[in-house]
């Protein structure tokens, strides 16, 4: 089984962050062959993340590389996960 690391950077009360989380969870549910670890980080808990991403959340990283800023598109995420797990 392929393994992929996802990091969702956002903050509490961010509706776009909630939407991104829903998309990530939905796409992962469609791809049971991909074993994914999902870590959520808040810019409010990390000054470095706040400095880097204050105006760009949510940010989704796949295996440490920025995949998406602001809106996560299911089809694009699905393609990226399949490529990352190959």
């Amino acid at each position: 089984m392929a393994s992929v690391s996802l990091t969702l950077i956002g903050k509490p009360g961010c509706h776009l962050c909630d939407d991104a989380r829903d998309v990530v969870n939905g796409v992962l549910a469609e791809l049971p062959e991909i074993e994914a670890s999902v870590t959520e980080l808040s810019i409010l808990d990390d000054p470095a993340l706040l400095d880097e991403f204050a105006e760009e959340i949510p940010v989704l990283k796949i295996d440490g590389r920025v995949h998406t800023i602001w809106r996560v598109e299911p089809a694009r995420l699905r393609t990226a996960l399949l490529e990352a797990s190959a």
Side-chain angles (χ1 to χ4, degrees):
M1 183 173 283
S3 179
V4 179
S5 172
L6 301 172
T7 305
L8 182 59
I9 302 168
K11 69 178 183 179
C14 165
H15 73 280
L16 290 177
C17 302
D18 294 338
D19 292 347
R21 182 182 308 105
D22 291 344
V23 170
V24 168
N25 290 334
V27 170
L28 289 175
E30 296 172 6
L31 300 171
E33 67 275 17
I34 296 177
E35 183 179 312
S37 64
V38 180
T39 302
E40 291 196 38
L41 302 174
S42 172
I43 62 170
L44 302 180
D45 296 333
D46 185 328
L49 289 177
L50 180 61
D51 286 344
E52 187 173 357
F53 297 116
E55 301 298 321
E56 298 180 331
I57 59 170
V59 175
L60 179 63
K61 292 184 175 187
I62 299 175
D63 291 334
R65 295 177 48 190
V66 173
H67 167 71
T68 301
I69 296 173
W70 294 311
R71 296 212 181 262
V72 180
E73 297 175 13
R76 184 168 177 259
L77 176 58
R78 190 175 303 107
T79 299
L81 290 173
L82 291 169
E83 289 174 359
S85 67

